[in-house]
Amino acid sequence: MAYVAIADQDEPLHDPQSFIEKYIWSQDHKVIAIQYGITAIGVGLVALVLSGLMRLQLGFPDQFSFIDPSSYYQFITMHGMIMVIYLLTALFLGGFGNYLIPLMLGTRDMVFPYMNMLSFWAYFLSVIILLASFFVPAGPTGAGWTLYPPQAILPGTPGVDWGIILMLASLAVFIVAFTMGGLNYITTALQARCRGMTLMRMPLSVWGIISATVLGLLAFPALLVSAIMMLLDKLIGTSFFMPALINLGETLEYNGGSPVLFQHLFWFFGHPEVYIVALPAFGIVSDLLSTHARKNIFGYRMMVWAIVAIGGLSFVVWAHHMYVSGMHPYFGFFFATTTLIIAVPTAIKVYNWVLTLWRGNIRLTTPMLFAIGFIFTFINGGLTGLFLGNVTVDLPLSDTYFVVAHFHMVMGVSPILVLFGAIYHWYPKMTGRLMDETLGKWHFWITFVGAYSVYYPMHYLGFLGLPRRYYAMGGAEFMPESAQSLNAGISVAALTLGVAQLIFLYNAIVSLKKGKPAGHNPWEATTLEWQTPDTPPHHGNWGDKLPVVHRWAYDYSVPGVEQDYIPQNVPRGENEQSGQT
Amino acid sequence: MIGKFFKQLTDKPWLPPEQEVVAEINTGAVALAVPPARVALRLFLCVAFVLFSLFSVAYYVRMELDDWRPLAEPGLLWLNTAVILLSSVALQIARQAVQRGNTRTVSFTLTLGGLLTIAFLVGQYMTWGELRGAGYFAAGNPANAFYYLLTAVHGLHLLGGLVVWARTVKRMWQGAEPYQIRLSIELCTTYWHFLALVWLGIFWILIST
């Protein structure tokens, strides 16, 4: 079954024969990508429903008997963890990473197809373990997605008996799955590129995905370490993180552990995790913008270097999540400085996206709308990040709705918009049919306007000092009546936004059979995945011969050439003028 | 290799390629001339290194707190250390032998290396029993807990290596030619050297604190 994915070989590939080999225990990267995608979107829908339940409680307190404080905390925790790890990380890297890396780099498959299959099934197992916690006594953990000890494993936090154990176990399995996948993605990108595909000819999507994978491989061990040590604290009573405690008048066995140590380990993973989600989005959105604006990406090299620089810097900013945990002033100074430095490469990327659009022949297709929408939400979320990166500004804003608004804009809405854009963009390659444009545009506008109506007002609530994670706000004096009305409005917007995603699901399902046939390159794109002999690509991707690459990925509207795009596998023509920037 | 990598990063891909690149395209020599499995192993060693480093950092941070009571390490650890170093040496000899095609030496040293590793793991497990017998339970003190934790994580990595080792030995017994198992043996050797070094690091941390 295993075969060399690197070079052309004489013997024919062993195609999977039975249904099970083809769709269940599949080793084909495209099938695995779709398995990852469907699982991630499925579990993401659970998280979406949870956020709807949270908004019901926040907008209309005490109206719904099935939401009590415990279940509210469980909803928050599961919503956060699922969205960040099991949806975004898995869909970008497991889904699009698996689909795009071999196709964009001109290989037949990942270099280790068997390990790739194991990676998906381990991920699937981690999702099952996570979802199982809804069905155990006392339900899932309600410790918050950061799982801070000591509260995470003390009585009083929901799900302290079973939920937290399943959560930690599920994370450990996820990390194993991710490591198997990640080794595959990077080795494939390093070793198996087709002829002529130099590093700097790779599309930015691939750059984003593999840089994020490197971050993941180096950051997830920190989560594994903290998960293992917390599991031991919970199960056999060690005191890695647990200080001496009196709980309900009873002195516990724990002694001397350091909760702050957990926070450092957690955020040493947690901050790169933001970029594990963001870098693939950066890469993919660059390709969407360039393709649909019919212009080469502005400043390709800068874009690559910025991705790498942001990835590197993301490892030295973690403690900006911990300003309120107490730290030496110089420490805070250091982390505030590094945090603000990240704004430089990030701003370069934003300028380059905008300059790519400048005087482009913009086609306002659905993927393009989502890509442009991303620029807005990302600038918005990025700027509030500068507020929070400063220690003195962060202290009053910490743990308010301002933070909720910030990170949802920057790592919730923005990557999700890119994911939608990417799905509309590559769906024709995966299925051979286009998704409906009219429905797509409705979906975009409702999502975009909806996201702003949800998160923009939250900034104001944060300025008022409204604390995040509270089940009910009570009658605090600093909160005017109008804050509650605003909360109700946000809830209406959020629920509308959530329900509107049904348009997308309907579109994706109906277009499978009824969509307009796409042809092999509906967007007239240059990158290799659109040049496959079959659409959707067959097992082995390239028919008899691997492609040979003769140019970079962004030859759009080349002067002297009639067609406004030149695929990467087309040799240089004589009329072509070189030296464009 | 790294120099070439950085040179590639300064390419201007929108310009017509230089002759060098065209030549590379024609020969197909763009990718690194290393087997993918070796690249993947090196990447994995980076990941494992980060994992052990973070455990060590946690160890040193936790050690500074008041309740830390240093552990009297079992003397057996010195013997175990010698055993794991020997297993690493045995595999190194196997690697050199397989490169020369010397089947008998490969067969002997490869088997020996694995058996020594099993002996190491048994020895590590015995230190657990010794410590428990002396009342050093994991929940008693963080120093004890870290001892069990570090040795267990290191041991699990070795167990993973032993799976690959066992598959290689099986293929050897089934009569595989040296060149067929050469890569497996080379990768096992690299992994064993890495884990021996990691053990030396852990051992040093344990006895110096």
Side-chain angles (χ1 to χ4, degrees):
Chain A
M1 184 64 211
Y3 54 85
V4 184
I6 301 169
D8 280 323
Q9 64 269 30
D10 299 331
E11 56 211 271
L13 295 170
H14 168 61
D15 283 332
Q17 301 300 334
S18 66
F19 176 84
I20 286 185
E21 222 173 73
K22 203 167 175 183
Y23 296 109
I24 311 290
W25 306 118
S26 173
Q27 302 186 21
D28 185 318
H29 72 101
K30 300 180 290 295
V31 179
I32 295 173
I34 289 166
Q35 289 173 323
Y36 254 114
I38 290 174
T39 314
I41 292 174
V43 71
L45 287 174
V46 175
L48 183 70
V49 170
L50 293 177
S51 67
L53 293 173
M54 280 148 59
R55 282 317 315 181
L56 280 180
Q57 163 61 26
L58 288 170
F60 314 99
D62 306 326
Q63 305 287 314
F64 303 95
S65 56
F66 56 92
I67 310 174
D68 59 15
S70 287
S71 53
Y72 180 79
Y73 287 125
Q74 291 167 328
F75 297 162
I76 300 185
T77 308
M78 297 302 274
H79 167 80
M81 198 61 104
I82 290 176
M83 285 295 190
V84 171
I85 303 215
Y86 299 87
L87 171 68
L88 287 172
T89 309
L91 190 48
F92 268 124
L93 300 180
F96 282 100
N98 252 317
Y99 197 81
L100 293 179
I101 292 173
L103 279 170
M104 282 187 153
L105 299 183
T107 75
R108 298 200 180 278
D109 208 314
M110 291 286 176
V111 289
F112 308 114
Y114 185 76
M115 198 160 85
N116 209 15
M117 177 185 78
L118 285 184
S119 166
F120 168 71
W121 286 105
Y123 163 65
F124 192 76
L125 177 67
S126 76
V127 171
I128 299 287
I129 297 175
L130 185 79
L131 294 182
S133 67
F134 281 105
F135 304 100
V136 294
T141 176
W145 91 279
T146 51
L147 305 176
Y148 277 5
Q151 55 91 12
I153 55 176
L154 283 182
T157 301
V160 71
D161 290 320
W162 285 94
I164 185 72
I165 295 172
L166 288 174
M167 168 66 83
L168 295 171
S170 166
L171 286 173
V173 176
F174 180 89
I175 293 166
V176 173
F178 174 80
T179 307
M180 289 192 286
L183 293 175
N184 232 333
Y185 311 151
I186 296 181
T187 314
T188 304
L190 285 178
Q191 295 296 95
R193 302 191 304 277
C194 70
R195 284 191 197 180
M197 181 60 82
T198 60
L199 287 178
M200 296 305 269
R201 282 175 174 177
M202 297 196 304
L204 286 167
S205 297
V206 176
W207 271 109
I209 289 167
I210 61 169
S211 307
T213 307
V214 172
L215 296 193
L217 288 175
L218 300 179
F220 272 114
L223 183 63
L224 185 62
V225 167
S226 36
I228 291 173
M229 285 165 56
M230 183 136 80
L231 210 51
L232 292 176
D233 277 4
K234 165 73 190 155
L235 290 176
I236 63 171
T238 54
S239 302
F240 291 116
F241 302 131
M242 298 297 283
L245 281 165
I246 295 176
N247 189 56
L248 303 173
E250 186 187 347
T251 309
L252 299 182
E253 294 285 310
Y254 297 117
N255 191 28
S258 168
V260 175
L261 173 60
F262 176 89
Q263 296 187 16
H264 279 294
L265 285 169
F266 181 85
W267 288 113
F268 186 76
F269 146 76
H271 196 81
E273 171 62 33
V274 175
Y275 290 96
I276 293 168
V277 171
L279 293 185
F282 291 173
I284 288 172
V285 85
S286 308
D287 283 353
L288 297 187
L289 288 169
S290 174
T291 305
H292 295 271
R294 318 308 296 162
K295 255 186 83 194
N296 59 309
I297 191 78
F298 189 92
Y300 174 83
R301 281 200 300 176
M302 280 296 168
M303 294 301 250
V304 171
W305 295 345
I307 285 179
V308 175
I310 293 171
L313 283 169
S314 73
F315 278 99
V316 289
V317 299
W318 77 88
H320 69 212
H321 297 271
M322 300 165 53
Y323 291 148
V324 290
S325 301
M327 62 174 75
H328 192 283
Y330 286 133
F331 212 53
F333 176 75
F334 172 81
F335 281 105
T337 310
T338 50
T339 303
L340 299 186
I341 288 174
I342 287 200
V344 177
T346 313
I348 288 176
K349 296 194 77 71
V350 173
Y351 286 125
N352 286 358
W353 289 323
V354 176
L355 287 168
T356 302
L357 294 176
W358 176 248
R359 305 188 69 179
N361 178 16
I362 295 176
R363 298 176 178 174
L364 283 177
T365 55
T366 308
M368 185 59 155
L369 288 176
F370 277 102
I372 296 175
F374 160 85
I375 300 182
F376 283 89
T377 57
F378 184 71
I379 291 177
N380 200 137
L383 287 177
T384 50
L386 294 179
F387 288 51
L388 295 171
N390 284 290
V391 185
T392 41
V393 188
D394 178 71
L395 291 181
L397 288 176
S398 196
D399 281 327
T400 67
Y401 268 82
F402 191 84
V403 178
V404 178
H406 159 69
F407 71 73
H408 275 94
M409 270 315 215
V410 83
M411 75 171 293
V413 177
S414 301
I416 292 274
L417 289 182
V418 175
L419 278 173
F420 281 134
I423 291 171
Y424 282 99
H425 185 78
W426 278 292
Y427 186 89
K429 184 48 64 175
M430 296 178 189
T431 64
R433 288 176 189 273
L434 288 155
M435 285 172 79
D436 187 81
E437 278 286 302
T438 315
L439 285 179
K441 284 181 178 146
W442 275 102
H443 176 221
F444 167 74
W445 283 109
I446 297 175
T447 306
F448 185 71
V449 176
Y452 263 101
S453 353
V454 172
Y455 296 110
Y456 222 72
M458 282 194 196
H459 293 88
Y460 294 98
L461 292 179
F463 278 135
L464 286 176
L466 214 66
R468 68 189 275 216
R469 287 181 167 157
Y470 277 32
Y471 164 73
M473 297 304 161
E477 272 180 27
F478 62 85
M479 264 176 40
E481 244 339 272
S482 58
Q484 187 49 49
S485 330
L486 197 54
N487 243 336
I490 293 174
S491 288
V492 172
L495 294 169
T496 316
L497 179 60
V499 173
Q501 303 313 310
L502 290 174
I503 302 176
F504 167 74
L505 290 179
Y506 173 81
N507 197 350
I509 292 167
V510 169
S511 300
L512 266 183
K513 287 268 176 283
K514 301 228 168 96
K516 219 166 64 182
H520 86 286
N521 190 358
W523 313 116
E524 302 181 308
T526 58
T527 41
L528 282 184
E529 78 275 21
W530 301 102
Q531 324 304 334
T532 52
D534 312 287
T535 298
H538 291 175
H539 187 63
N541 293 348
W542 303 104
D544 295 335
K545 258 191 116 32
L546 285 174
V548 177
V549 165
H550 296 277
R551 56 183 70 243
W552 71 331
Y554 299 99
D555 268 340
Y556 290 104
S557 308
V558 177
V561 179
E562 200 179 334
Q563 200 180 6
D564 76 344
Y565 71 103
I566 313 175
Q568 282 191 279
N569 55 351
V570 173
R572 289 193 88 80
E574 289 179 5
N575 295 334
E576 241 177 89
Q577 293 172 12
S578 59
Q580 37 171 336
T581 45
Chain B
M1 189 179 96
I2 290 181
K4 189 179 158 198
F5 180 75
F6 280 106
K7 184 169 175 301
Q8 282 208 2
L9 288 188
T10 57
D11 270 356
K12 294 179 176 166
W14 52 90
L15 298 175
E18 295 166 18
Q19 282 309 308
E20 207 182 318
V21 177
V22 176
E24 273 184 345
I25 292 171
N26 293 335
T27 56
V30 173
L32 307 173
V34 183
R38 184 167 299 156
V39 175
L41 177 67
R42 284 179 191 166
L43 288 168
F44 179 71
L45 294 189
C46 295
V47 177
F49 178 76
V50 173
L51 184 75
F52 285 109
S53 308
L54 288 166
F55 274 121
S56 317
V57 169
Y59 184 96
Y60 280 111
V61 171
R62 186 67 183 81
M63 197 180 86
E64 295 301 315
L65 301 173
D66 295 336
D67 62 328
W68 185 275
R69 301 280 170 275
L71 181 75
E73 283 80 18
L76 187 56
L77 281 185
W78 290 94
L79 183 63
N80 289 349
T81 306
V83 170
I84 192 175
L85 288 178
L86 281 179
S87 77
S88 201
V89 169
L91 282 174
Q92 176 66 29
I93 297 172
R95 162 147 94 182
Q96 285 166 355
V98 80
Q99 284 164 355
R100 289 194 310 268
N102 186 340
T103 318
R104 282 188 57 189
T105 317
V106 174
S107 161
F108 176 69
T109 49
L110 185 62
T111 315
L112 179 70
L115 293 179
L116 283 169
T117 310
I118 294 169
F120 170 81
L121 288 174
V122 172
Q124 294 288 83
Y125 188 71
M126 282 162 64
T127 65
W128 286 17
E130 197 176 314
L131 284 174
R132 275 201 300 270
Y136 292 103
F137 295 105
N141 195 273
N144 313 352
F146 266 111
Y147 179 86
Y148 292 110
L149 179 60
L150 290 173
T151 48
V153 173
H154 179 256
L156 281 176
H157 279 78
L158 271 177
L159 274 180
L162 280 175
V163 172
V164 180
W165 169 83
R167 288 170 51 147
T168 313
V169 169
K170 191 176 152 216
R171 281 169 65 198
M172 189 175 68
W173 284 344
Q174 286 169 348
E177 294 296 318
Y179 73 89
Q180 290 172 313
I181 49 171
R182 176 173 164 170
L183 184 62
S184 299
I185 292 179
E186 287 174 352
L187 297 182
C188 277
T189 310
T190 310
Y191 189 59
W192 251 257
H193 291 344
F194 170 79
L195 285 180
L197 282 175
V198 167
W199 171 249
L200 287 182
I202 294 174
F203 189 44
W204 186 80
I205 290 175
L206 290 174
I207 56 175
S208 67
T209 54

